[in-house]
Amino acid sequence: MVVNALLATVCAVVGLLLGPFLARASGVLHERYPSWSEVTAGGLSAGPRAVGCGIGCAVLFASAALRWGPSGRLVPHLALFALLVVVAAVDFEHLLIPNRLVFPAVAVALPLIVAISLRDGRPRSVGFALLGSAVYFGGLFLTHLASPAGMGFGDVKLAVLLGLFIGWAASGYSSAVLLVLFGLIVACLLGSVIGIALLISRGRGVQYPFGPWLALGTVVVLLAAPSIPTLVALPR
């Protein structure tokens, strides 16, 4: 317990310091990859975007440390949470989830999941991860076909990555499906609340991103999975 608390503190500090760099990267990722000089220019200088990214990363990193502790699963989830902070920043500002973020992340995450699962003696969890990815992608793809204006294809592609990690957190195939559904429900509830608030405050026709809520729903599932026995204790 003490080790996890210390690890959480260290991770929170790292996340806070990482914020300004992620913020600067998020400022151009809707168009291109940032250069190294663009990311590092200004060091740890703080602005609204840097503060938001830093606080977001600090909270998520500390939560990840408390959830997974000093295990092999911690590093991939830290990387995922950092990526989701950037995705949210870009999507909030530009209503866009760039392929240059999602595709490389999937290409890196999948072999990491395979390697860690094999090392931990849990090869079946690779299948859970793949099923979670397929279910999340399939569900959002069908939603996109039914309402392209309501569900952008960037959200559909992001679901491939989110589903991988949600499925990886499951204890079985049925659990992987239910955890994906739970994450989607959380995302829809959060998105609906924000949408209604914007409708009331700004009127009809206001566009707002759904990607950040998909990301937050995934975070909730990943952190809460052990506390949801009805979802994670299903037969394999």
Side-chain angles (χ1 to χ4, degrees), residues 7-189:
L7 182 61
T9 301
V10 172
C11 287
V13 172
V14 171
L16 193 62
L17 296 178
L18 190 60
F21 304 102
L22 296 181
R24 283 190 282 274
S26 71
V28 298
L29 274 166
H30 62 290
E31 294 180 338
R32 56 181 172 79
Y33 287 112
S35 66
W36 178 252
S37 61
E38 286 177 313
V39 173
T40 57
L44 298 175
S45 59
R49 185 198 296 261
V51 171
C53 288
I55 292 175
C57 262
V59 172
L60 293 176
F61 279 23
S63 300
L66 293 174
R67 166 72 169 87
W68 290 283
S71 69
R73 292 198 172 206
L74 176 60
V75 172
H77 285 92
L78 291 177
L80 173 69
F81 289 173
L83 178 80
L84 294 183
V85 168
V86 176
V87 165
V90 175
D91 203 17
F92 270 128
E93 185 171 0
H94 300 284
L95 300 176
L96 173 71
I97 300 176
N99 292 338
R100 64 181 60 88
L101 279 176
V102 177
F103 290 164
V106 172
V108 172
L110 185 55
L112 268 179
I113 286 173
V114 172
I116 293 172
S117 298
L118 293 177
R119 192 206 65 176
D120 291 346
R122 298 179 58 191
R124 294 186 66 189
S125 63
V126 176
F128 308 155
L130 293 174
L131 178 61
S133 183
V135 169
Y136 215 166
F137 171 81
L140 293 196
F141 181 66
L142 292 176
T143 304
H144 170 74
L145 291 180
S147 177
M151 177 66 66
F153 201 65
D155 299 325
V156 178
K157 289 177 283 190
L158 179 63
V160 175
L161 177 67
L162 302 182
L164 272 177
F165 280 88
I166 291 177
W168 198 30
S171 61
Y173 293 107
S174 298
S175 174
V177 174
L178 288 174
L179 286 175
V180 166
L181 293 177
F182 185 79
L184 184 55
I185 289 170
V186 173
C188 288
L189 289 174

